[in-house]
Amino acid sequence: MRGHSTKTALLHVVNTVYAAADAKITALVGFDISAAFDTIDHDVLASHLESQFGVVGAASSWLRSYLHGRQQFVRLGRHSSPMTQCDCCVPQGSVLGPLLLAS
């Protein structure tokens, strides 16, 4: 939620579970979506944005060029991995990343 921290969200969940603990059954289900950014196929995302949100023409071309041809590598100290093509990920830390993930 905008304007709320992870700490606030966690406190809300804990408070809700404690309040429900007096009920006969209390359950908490959690989802880890930390790898969600790494699993989005570029073509599927672009097609979804075109069909569901009407992103076509120049906007679609710009989005496809933003996603396609990205590369990444890992550096640890003096050592680096080779560059690898990213065919199915949304850039983390970008302004568009969360918006594209939510679409």
Side-chain angles (χ1 to χ4, degrees):
M1 289 176 49
R2 177 170 281 163
H4 292 84
S5 67
T6 304
K7 183 178 178 181
T8 303
L10 182 59
L11 287 171
H12 175 72
V13 169
V14 169
N15 185 49
T16 302
V17 169
Y18 282 152
D22 292 333
K24 293 180 183 176
I25 297 174
T26 303
L28 174 65
V29 177
F31 295 97
D32 179 7
I33 61 167
S34 60
F37 284 90
D38 301 332
T39 60
I40 298 173
D41 181 87
H42 295 161
D43 293 325
V44 171
L45 175 61
S47 295
H48 179 74
L49 291 171
E50 289 171 3
S51 66
Q52 298 296 314
F53 298 101
V55 178
V56 295
S60 178
S61 296
W62 175 83
L63 179 68
R64 287 177 184 272
S65 71
Y66 173 74
L67 294 173
H68 289 283
R70 299 185 83 80
Q71 296 181 326
Q72 68 182 17
F73 71 98
V74 175
R75 178 179 296 152
L76 181 61
R78 301 181 330 226
H79 306 284
S80 296
S81 69
M83 285 286 217
T84 303
Q85 189 75 22
C86 300
D87 296 324
C88 59
C89 62
V90 173
Q92 296 182 36
S94 67
V95 174
L96 280 178
L99 296 173
L100 294 173
L101 181 64
S103 69

